[in-house]
Amino acid sequence: MSMVPQLQWAVVIAYVLAAILLAVSNRWSRAGIIALALTVVGLVVHLGILQLRWQAYGQLPIVTRYEDMTVDALMVVAVYLFAQWRIPWLRKTGLVVLPIAALGLGVALAYSMGSAPRVPALRTNWLIIHSQLNSLSIGAATIAAAAALFAKDKIEVQQAGRLLAWAFLFWAAMVAAGSYWASLAWGRYWGWDPIESWALGTLLCYAFVLHLRLKPGWRGRRGLMLGLIPYGVMLFTTYGLLLVRGSIHGSYLFQ
Amino acid sequence: MVRRLWRLLASHNLALALLALLGLAVLAGGTLPQAGRVSSEEFNAWYNAWPNLAVWSSFLRLDRVFSATWFLGLNLLLLINIAAGISVSISRRYALYKGKTSPRYRIIGSASQPASLPPLFDIADELGVSKNRSKGAIGLLGIPLFHLGIAIIILGGIWSGWAGFGGHFELSEGRTFDGRQDRLTVDRGTTLPVEFGARLRLDRVQVEVAEGKYLGELKAHVSVQQQGGPIRQAVVETNSPLRVGSYRIHPDNTLGYSAVFERIRPDGDRRRLYINVPVGLADWDSATPIQDTTLLELEGVPLYYDMTLHSGDKPELELLVRQAEKKRFEGRLIPGSVVDLEAYRLVFKGSVRWLGFYLTSDRPMRLVFVGFILTLAGFLLHLLVPFRRVALVVTPEGWEGMAWTMRGDYRFDEQWRCWLAQLPEDGA
């Protein structure tokens, strides 16, 4: 476990280097392939860091803020690799996506790397489902936001719009899973807690953008760029809100 | 007039306006302290720190967004908008399914048949005759299902807010709860919606504290008897509530020790009296005496009990009883000690552990979860199963190819363009 910070910084460097190589590469140039290989190696080491932590503490690393940000960064890179495999032009979004993942991973190190025994409320599979859907939606939303910046022609705009819809779906599933879990743990499925309210607010922002994109004047890049607003709201809900408002989520998680 | 009203209620613009307003309202409610949802101290501190903002917040009811009538009104309007939108959407999708709308793609050929197979057609299809091929019809149901799910969630949420019930009660080891309203601190609803109809006895409390401050284990071993039926044993723990009729009982992580007395009235009537003292997790396993002051009004006499309880094998209670500023009793009690307070006498029996529970009843909650499932399933269907219909019509002048798809179906767009590329320019 003592070498984890060094490994984590190595992954940060790998992602940043990959982004730089992507910036100077063409689609199938050697630099582009090296960038991709570097990203894959970074992801494998990234996964290894979490595996080491899992072994050391005997519990899935998805509870503390350090763990949460590390898993989110992992999911951002994993979703990016999957998306660029399915839709090759998305490879260039790595220019934005990989530095974001590197930033998340670096900021994670600023938080305590300690762990705490898991309280009874967190000993359920719903924690895994809820937190992984959260990470997945952040991954999909990050790619969607980056795709909005890079999409050029009509088909690329449509594909970026589809990514926005996937981010919305994953976030909605995360909210639904959290709601069901809350009904089991606390006896109520919704309590208008600040985190819950902002999670719903994020969903409504995405719903607004998706509906707006159905209108003729908003089907192009203009409507797509508007998708950056719900992405910002999503990031604030996940990482910023607990810094300014107290929440029942903060008493269990993200210590 | 009715038609105009209908168009307005089903309009996309109204949906956009409602989504924007609800989004802003929810974000405001999640940011500004909400009366009744934060402690009065926190609320007043914010009010004093931001006096100008607080005045506006109060004027616009942004300090109680989620219980405001305008918020309910927005939700109801969205419900109506969704319901109207679903009916319009279904009729449009049916027309699309039947090919009764303008095709999104169209091509006319002058030859007797196209030179190659259009998308969705397979090798066995004869090109010289009129044919229709469609795929993914079930995908057309995706968005209506999604909206139906949202409507059900809103409906269930409103119903749940009106009919839901929740209240906290405390139960000491050996003590029974039978649903008496005066044992409950209600925070949702007013009275029990239906009779509790059961007796719940706390047999044993199992608490483990990890590293001196974390809750490691919290289990309540209980006996339950419903409607005079057989007694069954159960374990209540977090994430695994106990179901009793239409109620669910959750441990709410409050715990402590009870000072147990026998209260004897002048007429000889004897009853158990439990005074619960909350304990922090850090003190649960330690031998530190726990202190508490509580006001008890028994036999019409309000008395303050200042207590220091030594729990464990040899329980002791340091007790000071006051009526206003007048001292009525002061002393150290061991099991069997008697305190005479004139209106009644108390016999100290010892100490036991208590746990806090949350009693809840929320039948519409199921509706909300059905709504969630429909919403997710509908949207998934919409994303994964695109509807496509291709028609090839043979005319005396040649042939005509038409295709109907959902907007943004870029994969079909590619297939169609690929097909067009295979056609000779002079024939199509």
Side-chain angles (χ1 to χ4, degrees), chain B residues 387-420:
Chain B
F387 170 72
R388 292 156 186 176
R389 178 190 171 93
V390 177
L392 190 65
V393 182
V394 175
T395 61
E397 295 80 30
W399 59 271
E400 188 179 357
M402 290 171 286
W404 292 261
T405 63
M406 300 305 291
R407 190 180 292 135
D409 189 348
Y410 57 88
R411 289 205 177 92
F412 183 84
D413 199 64
E414 278 174 5
Q415 288 175 20
W416 184 265
R417 277 194 277 174
C418 218
W419 179 53
L420 292 191

Side-chain angles (χ1 to χ4, degrees), chain A residues 97-204:
Chain A
V97 170
L98 293 174
I100 289 176
L103 182 72
L105 210 51
V107 172
L109 283 166
Y111 287 91
S112 161
M113 289 181 68
S115 187
R118 202 162 283 184
V119 298
L122 300 179
R123 278 186 233 136
T124 165
N125 289 335
W126 286 104
L127 167 69
I128 302 168
I129 296 168
H130 180 59
S131 68
Q132 295 316 288
L133 281 169
N134 178 264
S135 300
L136 192 59
S137 39
I138 287 171
T142 304
I143 307 298
L149 299 173
F150 286 91
K152 282 187 193 133
D153 57 35
K154 188 181 157 198
I155 287 190
E156 288 183 359
V157 166
Q158 285 176 348
Q159 288 172 329
R162 188 50 71 106
L163 286 170
L164 212 62
W166 278 105
F168 171 78
L169 176 72
F170 290 139
W171 190 263
M174 181 276 290
V175 169
S179 173
Y180 184 70
W181 179 18
S183 79
L184 294 177
W186 302 324
R188 52 101 178 139
Y189 63 90
W190 199 262
W192 295 116
D193 174 82
I195 287 266
E196 292 168 1
S197 301
W198 273 78
L200 178 63
T202 306
L203 215 50
L204 288 166

Side-chain angles (χ1 to χ4, degrees), chain B residues 222-243:
Chain B
V222 298
S223 302
V224 193
Q225 186 180 32
Q226 272 180 272
Q227 310 285 8
I231 296 172
R232 66 183 166 99
Q233 262 73 43
V235 178
V236 191
E237 53 188 320
T238 313
N239 294 321
S240 179
L242 177 70
R243 288 168 198 276

Side-chain angles (χ1 to χ4, degrees), chain B residues 30-274:
Chain B
T31 310
L32 301 169
Q34 299 294 294
R37 294 183 191 276
V38 295
S39 67
S40 53
E41 292 83 14
E42 191 184 335
F43 187 75
N44 291 335
W46 177 82
Y47 215 93
N48 293 331
W50 304 89
N52 293 330
L53 185 60
V55 167
W56 279 103
S57 166
S58 179
F59 177 70
L60 296 169
R61 305 278 287 174
L62 292 176
D63 57 353
R64 52 194 79 226
V65 169
F66 307 116
S67 55
T69 313
W70 61 262
F71 187 71
L72 177 67
L74 284 178
N75 276 288
L76 285 173
L77 207 51
L78 185 64
L79 185 65
I80 294 167
N81 177 248
I82 289 173
I86 290 173
S87 67
V88 171
S89 165
I90 286 178
S91 64
R92 279 186 190 158
R93 276 156 197 269
Y94 184 70
L96 184 69
Y97 172 66
K98 286 287 181 187
K100 288 180 180 166
T101 57
S102 308
R104 198 173 291 278
Y105 302 89
R106 190 172 196 179
I107 183 167
I108 294 172
S110 57
S112 59
Q113 62 182 54
S116 64
L117 286 167
L120 302 194
F121 278 61
D122 63 42
I123 205 112
D125 286 324
E126 286 179 55
L127 290 179
V129 291
S130 298
K131 268 196 187 328
N132 281 305
R133 287 281 174 268
S134 64
K135 200 177 163 188
I138 197 161
L140 285 173
L141 290 175
I143 290 295
L145 265 183
F146 167 80
H147 282 120
L148 179 67
I150 299 284
I152 289 174
I153 292 170
I154 296 173
L155 202 64
I158 293 171
W159 185 11
S160 166
W162 172 67
F165 175 84
H168 163 88
F169 68 95
E170 290 167 5
L171 206 52
S172 309
E173 281 175 326
R175 205 176 178 200
T176 301
F177 175 74
D178 57 6
R180 263 173 48 201
Q181 184 89 24
D182 60 356
R183 294 273 303 275
L184 286 162
T185 309
V186 177
D187 67 358
R188 206 175 149 211
T190 47
T191 53
L192 290 167
V194 290
E195 194 190 344
F196 184 63
R199 287 167 61 80
L200 176 80
R201 182 182 186 275
L202 179 61
D203 299 327
R204 187 165 63 87
V205 171
Q206 186 183 342
V207 175
E208 283 169 27
V209 179
E211 296 179 15
K213 57 180 177 177
Y214 298 106
L215 190 58
E217 201 74 73
L218 191 148
K219 286 182 180 173
H221 298 261
V222 298
S223 302
V224 193
Q225 186 180 32
Q226 272 180 272
Q227 310 285 8
I231 296 172
R232 66 183 166 99
Q233 262 73 43
V235 178
V236 191
E237 53 188 320
T238 313
N239 294 321
S240 179
L242 177 70
R243 288 168 198 276
V244 179
S246 64
Y247 291 94
R248 296 205 299 180
I249 297 166
H250 305 254
D252 66 6
N253 291 359
T254 53
L255 45 94
Y257 285 93
S258 310
V260 187
F261 298 92
E262 189 163 53
R263 179 164 62 95
I264 308 166
R265 293 203 317 200
D267 62 4
D269 182 54
R270 289 166 178 259
R271 286 185 189 178
R272 285 272 161 158
L273 172 68
Y274 295 82

